[in-house]
Structure formats: C-alpha cells, structure tokens
Amino acid sequence: MTTHVIAVDVGGTEMKAALVAVEPGTATPLREIRQPTPRGDGPILDAVRGLVESLRGGVELAAAGVVVPGVVDERTGVGIYSANLGWRDLPIRDRLAEQLDVPVILGHDVRAGGLAEARLGAARGLRDVAVLPIGTGIAAALILGGALHTGGGRAGEIGHVDVGHGERCGCGRTGCLEAVASSAAIARRYRARSGEPAAGGAEVVAALRDGDPHAAAVWQDAVDGLARGLIVLAGVVAPECVVLGGGLARAGGLLVEPLTARIDELLAPHHRKPRLELAELGDTAGCLGAALLATEGLTTA
Amino acid sequence: MTTHVIAVDVGGTEMKAALVAVEPGTATPLREIRQPTPRGDGPILDAVRGLVESLRGGVELAAAGVVVPGVVDERTGVGIYSANLGWRDLPIRDRLAEQLDVPVILGHDVRAGGLAEARLGAARGLRDVAVLPIGTGIAAALILGGALHTGGGRAGEIGHVDVGHGERCGCGRTGCLEAVASSAAIARRYRARSGEPAAGGAEVVAALRDGDPHAAAVWQDAVDGLARGLIVLAGVVAPECVVLGGGLARAGGLLVEPLTARIDELLAPHHRKPRLELAELGDTAGCLGAALLATEGLTTA
C-alpha cells in the first residue's frame, strides 16, 4: 500500500521539503522544494505551512512530518531548544496542526536521518542500529529493537561521553568524544599542532592523504576517541551496525579501516561486535526520515 | 482479562517457579515451588519441565516463561553461555517446547527482573528505565520506550564501561565500573586498604555505619564510579529512572544520598536527570519478570 506524506527538514540555513510516496522498504520523493530558512519561529512555521500547501496539490495526504535541529521531544511535539533557530519550548506540532488539515508529526533531524539510514539506507533490515553523523558535533540516532529511541529527546549524546583523553570540551567538561573527534575538533587540533590553517576536517583529511605527520597524529587521536565511544555504545546498547555519516565520513576507508582495527583491539568477549557502514543517503536522510516518521507515527498512533 | 502463565527463574543454586495470574499492571503468584538447581543441562531442563507439570494442575495455561543467567538471546531462545550452569549455545526454548504443550518464552534473569521492576515495581508506569542489580557484578536491564531492549543478549553491560579510575578489572581491562563499585570489589578494596576481613559489601556497609575511615574511602570511590556509570547511561539512553537493586541496594540512603549528590555535580545541561529508586521486588523479580515475558511474548508474537 502506498501512503503519501509531506516531509519537511528545517535546517539552520535551508529547508528541504518533499511530497513522498512511502511503501514498506521504500520512500520515493515525487516533488521537492528547497528554500532558505527564514529567521524567527513565526516565519519558519509560516514557511513550513506554505511548503505543505505548495507540495500537496491534488494528492490525498496521510500526514506531514517535520524535523528540526536542537533538542526535540517527539512525544509532546515540542522544540525544547534550538540555538540556531532561536526557540525554546515551542509547541511546533500543535502550532502547525492548528492551521493544517493533516496530522503533523514532529521529529529531530539527526534521529530522523538515522531512522532513514536504518530503514532505507546503509543499515536497512537491521533491528539494533546506531547512526553517527560526525560534523561540528557528534550525536547518535539509536534504532533499538526496530524502533527509534528518543529518551525524551535526550538520548544518543555520545559526543559528550568521557572517552578519557583529558582535553577540555566546549561544554566545560573534559574527555568528551566531541573534543577530539568532531570535524571541528580535528581542524582545531591540527591548527594548534602544525601552525597551518585548516577550516574543517576535510582539509585535515587532504593533509593526511599527503602524508602530513601532524594530520596523521590528530587523525589517530580522533580514531582512538571514536573507537572508545563506539565501545561504550557496544557495551550499553549493543548495536549490530554503526553507520558513520556527516562530513567526516567522506574520508571513507581512511576512517573505516583504522577505526575497525582499533575497535577490534578494544573489544571484549562480552561485546556484540558492530558492523561499520558509511551512510548512504547524504543530505536527503533528514527529509526521508521525516517521511518515515509521518508514516510510522500514523501506524502506531 | 486474566492470563495464567508459569514462570521459572533458574538460579545458580535455586530454582523459583510459580503459577502466576497476570493482568495489566499486576502479577499474582497463586502457587510457588522453590528447589535446588541440579547440575548439568539435561537435569536442569528436566527439572523445569517437572515444575511446569507440578504447578499447572487444572489451569488453562497461556505460556511458560523461563529465565536463566549468563548470556541469553531472547529472540532465538538460546542460552549462549553460562559459567555457573555450565552450558554454551543451548537451544533451551526449543528443547523445552518439544516436551511441553504450551508456548515457551526464554529470558535473561537480570533483564526479566528489570522488566518486573519497570512494570510492577519501583519504576511502574515509566517508559525509559534502567535497572541495576549491584552484586558480584553490575549489569543493567534497559526498558526503553516501554519495551525491553536486549541487543542480541549483549545490551546493558554497564559494569565493564571504563569510568576512569584506572584500576585493573577481572576482565583484563582497566577502569571498569565493576572493578570499583560491585559488592565484591568494595569488599576486596576494603580488605586491601584496612587489612581487616570483609566477605562482601554488607560488612563494608556495617563498617561505614561505625565510622570506619577505610570503609568511607572505599565507599566514596564506589559512589563516584556508579555516578560516572549512570552519567554514561544518561548520555546514551537517557532513562527517566534508575532502579538500584542487588545486595548493595540494601544500604538504602547510605547509597542513594551520596550518589544523588555526585550525579548532580556531574550532570550537564544536555542530560535528562534520572530519578533514583531502590528496587522493590527483591528476589521475586526474576520470577515475576518471567511471567511478564510469558504474557507479553504472546501479545507480540
């Protein structure tokens, strides 16, 4: 059976929206719109409504799924906090539902993107999956027993687990995974060590390919931190598969090969060994995940 | 609606079995048998069958739930490993089902006991719960989004997460929570520090009540380790409530008060603050959990 939904991924700079046909195991965008995200929560909600109205044309819609960044409570439909979009405790789901005649499901961009990778992408068919986009920060989307685990919007904060390196994090604590392995941290640590400029992780990867020893040292620390973070995930939630995404995953084998080797060194007999995969859905994951939430929210409601 | 099931908790030394009447929110044992656990997997499975036949008398049974220690895969019904009971890759569910004319559900003793605390005990009514029995070892049962998370039988190994204390664990690695905060570790560290005998955590708690400075130091290390372990759980799975059980939880306020204070010091703004509760169901938790698994296994099958 085909269900038609509208999916909207509200990013810090761009909104991606699509009319999506969802069937078990597939989600096909039929029409898409991308536009800049306006400033302020009133204009953003107006823009989401405008996108839904523009895309629906003549199709019987089952629901609209909207995903946003920051801290989100899926169960209450509230955007608890977003530094980028400037809101706090905004009842997004109810505000949108007041003016749209379809059910609205609110989701979190990272968790929705993870759900899409688990259902349609790199981990399709698996029940226990962690999806880690590695960019400015690091967080995990957890799909456990086949269902998205939200923890009241607070689950998956693997970026601020102490992995023992002792360096200070922007959050004020020490040892956070993010402080050694995020794209931003890798660039910062490379600049400090080499005196060379590097705007992001991609430049450090380029230097690594050129045999730069400073890049190699910084990369090794990042890989060690990631391996320790994944060992924590293995011990606590035991995913079958970890999907690596975000900018850093573009390093491909340069990331996956040493990370696999380091995990093998750290893994204990009680651990379930996670398969490592690279994300497949790129920047459409959030929008596809919004479509899945819109569909699955209806089936479980 | 009342469902009748038979629940069997196979412990290392004793088997507890009951005919249980289960209704939503309650599980009432109607008849109970406790007997020593025989040696060897054949005699154990024969004893389980005997208990089911003895207890069922005249009642229409929906299922039998059997929980065992060690590493258990609930989905395949296999006892993967038990050092105490001496088996490896034993298809317990199928072996029992061959000779019983009721559906059999296999579970893990710690996870089943945790499910009982989440449904009927200290955390009843909550969706995201971690239950930690603290005894010779430390492991967590995770109830996430209202469902037991098993991770192929490998989830919840919080006892071997590195919490940074640097001491060696029996598993060969360093920094494991279990190496500083299990009842066995507390007794061992107290003996090493004080030169006094202490067979288990209970003696150290008694010394702590008497103002013994060695007991106080060892206890403080245990509390710090537990707080760091619970912060990892908060960051990864974000439970609303953590239920403390096992022998060490008998310390009551001596454990909960300093642990709450230390968690408050370590908690970051991104964390969901877990409520701490003491387990309520004592040594009947595993058997009640087996009854719940027998009932819920049927509803989801």
Side-chain angles (χ1 to χ4, degrees):
Chain A
M1 204 198 85
T2 305
T3 304
H4 289 93
V5 298
I6 289 187
V8 186
D9 179 1
V10 181
T13 56
E14 189 186 51
M15 305 173 76
K16 302 177 190 74
L19 172 66
V20 183
V22 182
E23 293 175 61
T26 70
T28 312
L30 304 177
R31 295 197 276 271
E32 295 180 56
I33 302 176
R34 293 187 178 216
Q35 65 184 45
T37 305
R39 298 290 98 189
D41 53 79
I44 290 172
L45 296 185
D46 287 343
V48 172
R49 278 189 289 265
L51 287 165
V52 174
E53 298 301 345
S54 303
L55 285 164
R56 67 190 304 176
V59 177
E60 190 174 334
L61 283 188
V66 178
V67 303
V68 300
V71 182
V72 175
D73 187 341
E74 283 94 341
R75 279 170 60 79
T76 58
V78 171
I80 296 175
Y81 176 68
S82 168
N84 274 338
L85 299 179
W87 60 54
R88 196 175 277 280
D89 294 321
L90 183 67
I92 298 172
R93 182 185 66 198
D94 293 350
R95 291 268 301 272
L96 289 170
E98 273 168 22
Q99 291 180 270
L100 289 169
D101 61 351
V102 292
V104 176
I105 287 88
L106 183 70
H108 178 248
D109 55 359
V110 169
R111 282 192 290 273
L115 183 67
E117 290 288 353
R119 291 267 193 282
L120 310 169
R124 60 189 167 275
L126 300 181
R127 291 174 55 83
D128 296 325
V129 180
V131 183
L132 269 77
I134 307 173
T136 311
I138 303 176
L142 301 176
I143 292 84
L144 303 177
L148 189 61
H149 175 58
T150 65
R154 304 289 183 167
E157 289 286 1
I158 190 74
H160 295 284
V161 163
D162 185 349
V163 293
H165 57 69
E167 289 186 24
R168 190 156 288 278
C169 177
C171 77
R173 307 192 306 161
T174 58
C176 295
L177 171 57
E178 215 170 273
V180 75
S182 71
S183 205
I186 288 170
R188 177 179 46 70
R189 298 183 79 245
Y190 176 77
R191 290 193 302 268
R193 195 186 158 99
S194 69
E196 300 290 326
E203 283 95 327
V204 182
V205 172
L208 181 68
R209 288 189 205 277
D210 290 344
D212 179 330
H214 299 301
V218 163
W219 195 253
Q220 190 179 331
D221 290 346
V223 165
D224 183 70
L226 279 170
R228 290 177 187 279
L230 295 186
I231 289 290
V232 169
L233 275 182
V236 176
V237 294
E240 295 158 276
C241 178
V242 172
V243 179
L244 304 167
L248 213 66
R250 289 192 207 113
L254 275 182
L255 177 63
V256 173
E257 282 161 31
L259 184 55
T260 302
R262 190 73 184 108
I263 288 171
D264 284 346
E265 287 169 5
L266 294 172
L267 213 68
H270 70 271
H271 286 127
R272 190 185 206 183
K273 182 176 175 173
R275 194 171 99 195
L276 295 190
E277 297 283 349
L278 294 167
E280 290 181 1
L281 303 175
D283 78 349
T284 63
C287 196
L288 290 171
L292 293 175
L293 288 176
T295 315
E296 300 185 10
L298 286 178
T299 61
T300 61
Chain B
M1 203 199 83
T2 304
T3 304
H4 289 93
V5 298
I6 288 187
V8 185
D9 179 1
V10 181
T13 56
E14 190 186 49
M15 305 174 76
K16 303 178 189 73
L19 170 67
V20 183
V22 182
E23 293 175 60
T26 69
T28 311
L30 304 176
R31 295 196 278 270
E32 294 179 58
I33 302 177
R34 294 188 177 213
Q35 65 185 45
T37 305
R39 297 292 97 188
D41 53 80
I44 290 173
L45 296 185
D46 286 342
V48 171
R49 278 189 289 264
L51 287 165
V52 174
E53 298 300 345
S54 303
L55 285 163
R56 67 191 305 177
V59 177
E60 191 174 336
L61 283 188
V66 178
V67 303
V68 301
V71 182
V72 176
D73 187 341
E74 284 92 340
R75 280 170 61 79
T76 57
V78 172
I80 296 175
Y81 176 69
S82 168
N84 273 337
L85 299 180
W87 60 55
R88 195 176 280 279
D89 295 321
L90 183 67
I92 298 172
R93 183 185 65 198
D94 292 350
R95 290 268 302 270
L96 289 171
E98 273 169 23
Q99 292 179 270
L100 290 169
D101 61 350
V102 291
V104 176
I105 288 88
L106 182 71
H108 178 247
D109 56 358
V110 169
R111 283 193 290 274
L115 183 67
E117 290 289 352
R119 291 268 193 281
L120 310 168
R124 59 189 167 276
L126 301 180
R127 289 173 56 82
D128 296 325
V129 179
V131 182
L132 269 77
I134 308 173
T136 311
I138 304 176
L142 301 176
I143 292 85
L144 303 177
L148 189 61
H149 175 58
T150 65
R154 303 290 184 167
E157 288 285 0
I158 191 72
H160 294 283
V161 163
D162 184 349
V163 294
H165 57 70
E167 289 184 24
R168 190 156 289 277
C169 178
C171 78
R173 308 192 306 162
T174 58
C176 295
L177 172 57
E178 216 170 272
V180 75
S182 70
S183 204
I186 289 170
R188 177 180 44 73
R189 297 182 80 244
Y190 175 77
R191 289 192 303 267
R193 195 186 159 98
S194 69
E196 301 289 327
E203 283 93 328
V204 181
V205 171
L208 181 69
R209 288 189 206 275
D210 289 345
D212 179 330
H214 300 299
V218 164
W219 195 253
Q220 191 179 332
D221 289 347
V223 165
D224 183 69
L226 279 170
R228 291 178 187 279
L230 295 185
I231 289 290
V232 170
L233 275 183
V236 175
V237 294
E240 297 158 274
C241 178
V242 173
V243 178
L244 303 168
L248 214 67
R250 291 194 205 113
L254 275 182
L255 176 63
V256 174
E257 282 161 30
L259 184 55
T260 303
R262 190 73 185 108
I263 288 172
D264 285 347
E265 287 170 4
L266 295 172
L267 213 68
H270 69 270
H271 286 127
R272 189 185 208 184
K273 182 175 174 173
R275 194 170 102 195
L276 295 191
E277 297 283 348
L278 293 167
E280 291 182 359
L281 303 176
D283 78 349
T284 64
C287 197
L288 290 171
L292 293 175
L293 288 176
T295 316
E296 300 184 11
L298 286 178
T299 61
T300 60

